[in-house]
Amino acid sequence: MQPVLKSAKLATVCYDIRGPVMARARQMEEEGHHIIKLNIGNPAAFGFETPEEIVRDVIHNLPNASGYVESKGVFAARKAVMHYTQEKRIPGVQVGDIYIGNGVSELIVMTIQALLDSGDEVLVPAPDYPLWTAAVSMAGGTPRHYICDEGAGWLPDLNDIRAKITPATRAIVIINPNNPTGALYPVELLQEIVEIARQHQLIIYADEIYDKVLYDGATHTSIASLAEDLLFITFNGLSKNYRACGYRAGWAVVSGEKRHARDYIEGLDILASMRLCANVPAQYAIQTALGGYQSIDDLVVPTGRLCRQRDLAHDLLTSIPGVTCHKPQAALYLFPRLDPKLYPIVNDQQFILELLLEEKVLVVQGSGFNWPHPDHLRVVFLPNTDDLTDAMGRFSRFLDGCRKRHGGLDSAHAEAPGSSDGNRIAGVANIAEPEEAAKAVKAGGEGVALPRTE
Ligand code: PLP
């Protein structure tokens, strides 16, 4: 029998948050190991529960949720989202401009699919939430990564954005607040991005799913509030602000210059209709969630659980030699840098596999977020303080071992990465090539093609 191959469209698609290293972790769990998981932004898994009022209202409405509904979503839910856009000062949004989806994930794929023809380019941040890059590739487009500058608090590098625009560029993706860096973009920067989009007639896709997970009294500005003469698609949902990932409830809002986008909007309507409608029970959570008391506020104040965990994880991580990390102003993640002089990592997937095997701690490698160098990883700070302390202790021990094993690189005279193969960390085995590392992961795990990063 002929082997059954996956579609060629998937050749460039990568989603390492649920990738082969996670598959290996699952296998280890089946063998009885306890793994500390710092890999997935799934609040419920760490005891952050969906507010009870939301749960109650879904239960209350369940008897009315058996049928398909309007493909764009239940009216009351979309009306509540419309009011939310008013709070966020996004002008001119009507109920008809709102699409409810099975999480923002479905809507990212749908809205990109509706836009792109092969050869079209989309500007996507590096690092990014990798579904964006994957969605562009799957739609036949080419993701062009613009760099977010770690030295500038991970803000997008405007010159790099400008340099990467070509006649084929159709759109720019802004993830604000950002996963994986935790950066929150100031209004002046957003204005400059708007200006660039205006000059080049780009559509702005704004992923704002963490817009209420803000620390240190920070405030969030929706980029779509800054102009009416450009087309914006703004994404948000219940997964993070309301700790309801499993409900699969998100929305996309079309705003700004809609008149010139009638054809594209027709495409969105076609795709929304083709999937009939989003999960109906969860749509009944939206109105309750968006109105009234916002329990996320209690978690992000200095005494709140999320803020305390962020502070602790950041302090512990940055006290390890050679580990630096911009302190996140938002979201649920840290994206530390491992100084290549101390940790000359060649293959970051292999590196995190070795961390998993040695210390039973699971994180995601920076390249899983389309970061171009093997010197970062993402840590989720959702576990409670005891588990975070335990995990950071294990991580620190692992890095101590790396420094010792690799010839006392823990010195100011450490060799530059790549200057000596003998001192390279591949992961920890000396596997120099990514393909070899992938084979090593496969050999140890189930060989799942895609890794995992929510
Ligand atoms: N966008 C970003 C930046 C995310 O981090 C995530 C999930 O982690 C999503 C979108 C997907 O969200 P949803 O659960 O609504 O599909």
Side-chain angles (χ1 to χ4, degrees):
M1 181 154 156
Q2 290 286 327
V4 181
L5 304 178
K6 65 178 178 297
S7 129
K9 291 194 295 293
L10 294 179
T12 55
V13 173
C14 167
Y15 192 73
D16 276 357
I17 300 172
R18 294 187 186 225
V21 180
M22 172 141 169
R24 184 76 179 91
R26 203 178 308 123
Q27 187 188 28
M28 288 168 72
E29 279 182 325
E30 280 162 19
E31 289 161 2
H33 297 284
H34 172 65
I35 310 291
I36 306 184
K37 293 195 194 117
L38 308 181
N39 64 321
I40 291 181
N42 184 9
F46 301 94
F48 290 94
E49 279 161 18
T50 307
E52 207 186 312
E53 196 189 353
I54 298 179
V55 180
R56 271 208 312 268
D57 282 10
V58 171
I59 295 170
H60 176 78
N61 281 295
L62 208 49
N64 310 320
S66 312
Y68 295 130
V69 296
E70 156 84 29
S71 57
K72 284 184 179 180
V74 164
F75 180 84
R78 288 193 291 148
K79 189 86 182 177
V81 172
M82 188 188 109
H83 289 149
Y84 188 56
T85 65
Q86 289 168 357
E87 265 175 57
K88 303 280 303 196
R89 301 182 184 283
I90 302 176
V93 176
Q94 306 298 324
V95 170
D97 300 324
I98 295 162
Y99 298 78
I100 309 279
N102 295 305
V104 164
S105 304
E106 182 189 41
L107 296 162
I108 289 174
V109 174
M110 200 173 100
T111 54
I112 290 289
Q113 198 75 38
L115 180 74
L116 297 185
D117 283 316
S118 63
D120 288 345
E121 295 179 7
V122 178
L123 293 160
V124 180
D128 74 338
Y129 176 64
L131 179 57
W132 280 105
T133 297
V136 171
S137 301
M138 279 198 310
T142 304
R144 296 269 286 158
H145 290 107
Y146 65 85
I147 291 294
C148 296
D149 180 0
E150 185 166 21
W154 287 117
L155 297 184
D157 178 334
L158 297 172
N159 286 332
D160 198 47
I161 292 178
R162 288 188 194 99
K164 290 191 172 143
I165 295 175
T166 74
T169 312
R170 303 288 314 279
I172 180 165
V173 174
I174 306 293
I175 304 173
N176 176 39
N178 192 273
N179 175 9
T181 66
L184 178 70
Y185 299 168
V187 65
E188 299 75 24
L189 177 100
L190 296 174
Q191 271 156 347
E192 297 208 55
I193 294 172
V194 163
E195 196 44 48
I196 295 173
R198 184 174 285 131
Q199 276 165 19
H200 298 275
Q201 305 250 309
L202 306 181
I203 302 171
I204 298 183
Y205 288 83
D207 182 340
E208 301 186 345
I209 192 156
Y210 299 97
D211 74 335
K212 287 179 184 280
V213 190
L214 309 173
Y215 307 102
D216 311 321
T219 52
H220 175 265
T221 302
S222 278
I223 192 167
S225 69
L226 302 178
E228 295 190 54
D229 59 331
L230 300 173
L231 186 68
F232 294 92
I233 318 287
T234 303
F235 301 82
N236 211 328
L238 299 188
S239 288
K240 314 292 172 167
N241 291 341
Y242 301 95
R243 285 86 70 210
C245 296
Y247 283 40
R248 310 310 300 127
W251 52 88
V253 177
V254 181
S255 70
E257 179 43 79
K258 291 173 261 183
R259 277 169 314 157
H260 288 84
R262 284 201 196 104
D263 201 54
Y264 172 60
I265 291 168
E266 197 182 303
L268 289 181
D269 291 346
I270 292 170
L271 292 181
S273 307
M274 277 165 58
R275 51 90 215 232
L276 301 175
C277 65
N279 170 33
V280 178
Q283 297 194 39
Y284 288 109
I286 293 174
Q287 186 180 21
T288 307
L290 289 180
Y293 178 64
Q294 299 293 299
S295 54
I296 184 73
D297 295 345
D298 299 339
L299 296 170
V300 296
V301 291
T303 49
R305 186 178 156 194
L306 279 175
C307 189
R308 284 187 290 111
Q309 290 173 191
R310 173 201 65 157
D311 292 346
L312 176 73
H314 184 262
D315 286 352
L316 293 174
L317 259 183
T318 53
S319 64
I320 303 172
V323 179
T324 49
C325 184
H326 177 74
K327 195 167 186 177
Q329 282 175 287
L332 310 171
Y333 315 99
L334 296 152
F335 198 59
R337 174 176 189 267
L338 306 189
D339 183 350
K341 290 192 182 120
L342 269 63
Y343 310 102
I345 300 163
V346 177
N347 183 303
D348 59 357
Q349 177 171 274
Q350 181 64 20
F351 181 79
I352 65 143
L353 174 66
E354 283 156 14
L355 170 64
L356 171 70
L357 296 176
E358 273 188 41
E359 292 292 350
K360 319 271 185 301
V361 173
L362 180 60
V363 296
V364 181
Q365 71 276 18
S367 60
F369 303 90
N370 295 298
W371 181 244
H373 313 291
D375 57 358
H376 282 74
L377 42 90
R378 190 190 73 170
V379 172
V380 170
F381 56 79
L382 284 167
N384 64 41
T385 50
D386 286 350
D387 286 347
L388 276 177
T389 307
D390 185 8
M392 293 302 143
R394 291 173 190 226
F395 185 50
S396 176
R397 191 166 60 197
F398 177 75
L399 291 185
D400 282 351
C402 289
R403 292 196 305 278
K404 287 192 188 110
R405 271 197 296 272
H406 293 275
L409 280 173
D410 193 356
S411 87
H413 306 293
E415 292 185 56
S419 60
S420 158
D421 275 356
N423 283 332
R424 285 183 156 207
I425 303 174
V428 178
N430 276 327
I431 297 170
E433 297 305 324
E435 299 88 283
E436 286 179 49
K439 273 189 232 152
V441 175
K442 275 194 176 178
E446 296 167 20
V448 176
L450 300 177
R452 162 171 176 163
T453 41
E454 305 92 311

